[in-house]
Amino acid sequence: PAPGNTFINRGSTRWDITQNIISLYGMDTIKLTPRFTVIPGLRWVFQGVPNETRGRFADFLPNQGLVTASQLPDGQIYKNVWTNFEPRLGLSYLLWSHPGHQTVLRMGYGIYHDTAGIRPLEALTQNPVGATGVFSSTPAAPIPFGPGVPIFGVGTPKPPFNVNAIQQDLKPQNAQEWSLNVEQELSPRMVLQVGYVGTKGTHMWQALDVNQPIPGPAAGNQSRRPFNTVFPNLRQILTISSAGNSSYNAFQASLRSRAFHGLTSLVAYTWSHSITTGDATSDLGGTTGFQPSDSTNLRRSRGNSMFDQRQALLISYVYDLPIQKLARGWRMVTEGWQLSGSTTFRDGLATPVFDTTNPSGTSENRDRPDCVGPIVYQLSDLTKPYVVSGLAPAQRGTFGNCPRNPLTAPGLNDWDIGLTKNTRVREGMMLQFRVDFFNAFNHPNFSQPSPDLSTRITSTVDDGAFDSHFGVGGPRNVQLNLKIIW
């Protein structure tokens, strides 16, 4: 047990959340001319307000305080929305038609509503109110160790309490997606496609502390909370709101070949930028920005998303080696050889960093450091910080001036190569021998640095993903296969 870290929940910590969703849609494909095709569509979706079967939901209303579900308007945590219409439109136009050299233009647009995330709503069942209310206790210092001595004390925990709430006029999350691409047939067996893809997320769920104190000394932050005068028993009021937004823009290109002189391949390149105010509604206490550093100014949290990866190049291929053509005879030995594999080059993901010394004095553990210059990285000595310069502890009484996710993690360089020999034993039966090299050149691929000012890198990509064997970017592994196919 540790003061401030160890806690116990007393009350009904169970929840049973249900939700009704109804969708209707219609679409059609209309060939206006032999060259021009239009695909219109419309979808309507009703996402019912989630319900806790035993009425364990509770919410904070500014004019009433913390109330149970039975005291909420219509007994619901937010209002139903019946106007979730989602138009879709796809266009395809044949610009140029010549055998083996066709050119096609394609465009698309659509609106899509995201279903309500159940995980954040679990917190509404844990509020300290009503017959099933949950009270969280932490041991006081010094911890009273001894036989029969209750570490967490006795009786009801003392306020102020952290509580959870939800915006009463919460709006449905939606994303708009649009695309434009040109596909050029270079030959009957090779196609080039170049395009643009964009998305825009609106009304994305974000957790805001509506009772966040203004920056100042940590010791007196309770007195600086907006609702302290009226509701002194409440500390953090973490409220699910629909204030978040996101955007994604990408240039995408691909070159595909099919049995082109024995080569079937795909080469795909993407340059993109993903910007959000938060990344994962299921991450209630983590690093994704679902709870921003400054709940009164969400605009400061708009920055690189944690899945922002500027450039990616992926190459996959299967090549029928022409050994039989080069060496006549010895058919059993020379036929059926294939070289295959996939090669991946990716920039590193945008990565968060926090100043854990609580410079703002709000005690919400979301403060960022100060960015004092260009951020310089190093990977030559992993006993030292990944960030050489560019970061500094935030000034006291501030949230720090760094944007959200200011770091770029190490990139990925991975070659997986396979060599296959197919041998016909008799009609309808084949013996296949294959050797696979995962990360064939044993290139080191490191995981993201720690999200504190030490910025230490302590694992490789595969260990960071809890897969120390065949994860992407893991150490070199060699696998031998022998198959009988009939």
Side-chain angles (χ1 to χ4, degrees):
N5 293 322
T6 303
F7 68 94
I8 188 172
N9 285 332
R10 292 172 172 161
S12 177
T13 58
R14 175 188 173 124
W15 55 81
D16 298 283
I17 300 175
T18 63
Q19 183 186 25
N20 295 319
I21 300 176
I22 303 172
S23 298
L24 301 171
Y25 73 93
M27 61 175 291
D28 196 6
T29 300
I30 306 170
K31 203 170 185 66
L32 296 178
T33 72
R35 291 174 174 264
F36 189 30
T37 302
V38 178
I39 306 175
L42 180 65
R43 182 183 181 92
W44 172 82
V45 58
F46 168 73
Q47 298 179 4
V49 176
N51 175 59
E52 207 289 322
T53 56
R54 297 179 184 271
R56 294 186 181 96
F57 277 151
D59 195 7
F60 172 80
L61 303 179
N63 59 339
Q64 294 180 248
L66 195 60
V67 298
T68 60
S70 61
Q71 299 171 280
L72 294 172
D74 300 322
Q76 296 182 319
I77 54 176
Y78 58 87
K79 300 176 182 177
N80 277 316
V81 176
W82 298 86
T83 55
N84 293 336
F85 292 99
E86 304 175 344
R88 319 281 172 84
L89 181 64
L91 305 174
S92 176
Y93 185 68
L94 182 62
L95 294 173
W96 170 260
S97 180
H98 188 275
H101 295 85
Q102 297 187 93
T103 305
V104 180
L105 174 69
R106 294 186 180 90
M107 301 173 63
Y109 174 81
I111 297 179
Y112 310 85
H113 285 88
D114 193 12
T115 55
I118 298 299
R119 174 82 187 278
L121 302 181
E122 296 171 3
L124 300 180
T125 69
Q126 308 294 297
N127 282 322
V129 64
T132 60
V134 177
F135 295 84
S136 180
S137 299
T138 58
I143 295 175
F145 285 110
V149 179
I151 290 177
F152 296 96
V154 294
T156 303
K158 297 179 180 179
F161 301 116
N162 290 334
V163 300
N164 302 283
I166 192 166
Q167 182 180 324
Q168 281 290 291
D169 59 345
L170 193 74
K171 298 176 176 60
Q173 304 179 96
N174 73 80
Q176 301 177 63
E177 181 174 335
W178 53 91
S179 63
L180 170 67
N181 67 69
V182 177
E183 189 173 68
Q184 176 64 55
E185 191 178 28
L186 303 179
S187 77
R189 297 182 182 276
M190 186 171 292
V191 176
L192 173 67
Q193 180 173 297
V194 177
Y196 161 75
V197 173
T199 66
K200 180 179 183 293
T202 308
H203 305 314
M204 311 306 288
W205 282 15
Q206 199 99 33
L208 306 179
D209 181 8
V210 299
N211 205 27
Q212 185 179 55
I214 60 174
N221 61 26
Q222 182 64 25
S223 64
R224 302 194 306 274
R225 295 185 182 275
F227 289 101
N228 184 62
T229 302
V230 182
F231 303 109
N233 289 342
L234 303 183
R235 189 163 45 214
Q236 183 184 77
I237 306 175
L238 201 59
T239 304
I240 300 171
S241 70
S242 51
N245 58 78
S246 66
S247 67
Y248 172 82
N249 293 279
F251 165 79
Q252 299 178 354
S254 67
L255 179 65
R256 301 190 303 274
S257 70
R258 179 174 55 85
F260 182 75
H261 298 291
L263 177 66
T264 297
S265 65
L266 170 64
V267 179
Y269 171 78
T270 299
W271 182 94
S272 64
H273 193 188
S274 176
I275 301 174
T276 61
T277 55
D279 292 323
T281 56
S282 61
D283 187 21
L284 303 182
T287 60
T288 64
F290 181 50
Q291 181 184 349
S293 60
D294 183 359
S295 292
T296 65
N297 186 3
L298 187 58
R299 184 175 297 180
R300 286 196 66 246
S301 286
R302 183 171 169 82
N304 300 327
S305 77
M306 288 185 70
F307 29 84
D308 179 45
Q309 196 171 55
R310 298 301 171 87
Q311 296 187 83
L313 174 65
L314 295 93
I315 305 169
S316 61
Y317 53 90
V318 177
Y319 181 49
D320 294 324
L321 295 172
I323 297 177
Q324 186 176 354
K325 297 179 181 179
L326 298 177
R328 300 295 180 181
W330 298 92
R331 179 177 175 182
M332 185 74 71
V333 177
T334 59
E335 74 172 359
W337 287 93
Q338 284 185 334
L339 178 69
S340 62
S342 62
T343 301
T344 304
F345 301 107
R346 290 180 179 171
D347 285 345
L349 294 165
T351 303
V353 60
F354 296 101
D355 187 336
T356 57
T357 63
N358 189 29
S360 68
T362 60
S363 301
E364 305 219 332
N365 302 317
R366 296 293 185 276
D367 298 339
R368 297 192 285 265
D370 282 344
C371 289
V372 295
I375 298 178
V376 180
Y377 307 99
Q378 67 85 26
L379 283 171
S380 58
D381 186 352
L382 296 185
T383 65
K384 297 179 180 179
Y386 173 59
V387 175
V388 176
S389 61
L391 299 178
Q395 297 294 315
R396 291 288 120 183
T398 73
F399 293 104
N401 66 20
C402 274
R404 192 169 61 88
N405 301 334
L407 306 184
T408 301
L412 181 68
N413 181 327
D414 185 73
W415 296 69
D416 297 336
I417 301 174
L419 183 64
T420 303
K421 172 68 171 73
N422 293 311
T423 304
R424 283 185 294 176
V425 179
R426 58 178 175 80
E427 185 177 354
M429 179 177 289
M430 182 172 65
L431 182 67
Q432 183 184 86
F433 173 73
R434 180 183 177 94
V435 56
D436 295 313
F437 300 87
F438 298 92
N439 193 2
F441 303 112
N442 207 28
H443 190 282
N445 292 285
F446 299 108
S447 63
Q448 293 175 291
S450 61
D452 54 63
L453 281 171
S454 71
T455 63
R456 301 282 176 153
I457 292 179
T458 58
S459 64
T460 53
V461 177
D462 55 314
D463 285 330
F466 306 105
D467 179 3
S468 59
H469 298 286
F470 293 98
V472 175
R476 180 195 295 122
N477 283 273
V478 182
Q479 176 176 273
L480 302 178
N481 305 268
L482 185 62
K483 289 183 181 179
I484 297 177
I485 302 171
W486 75 94

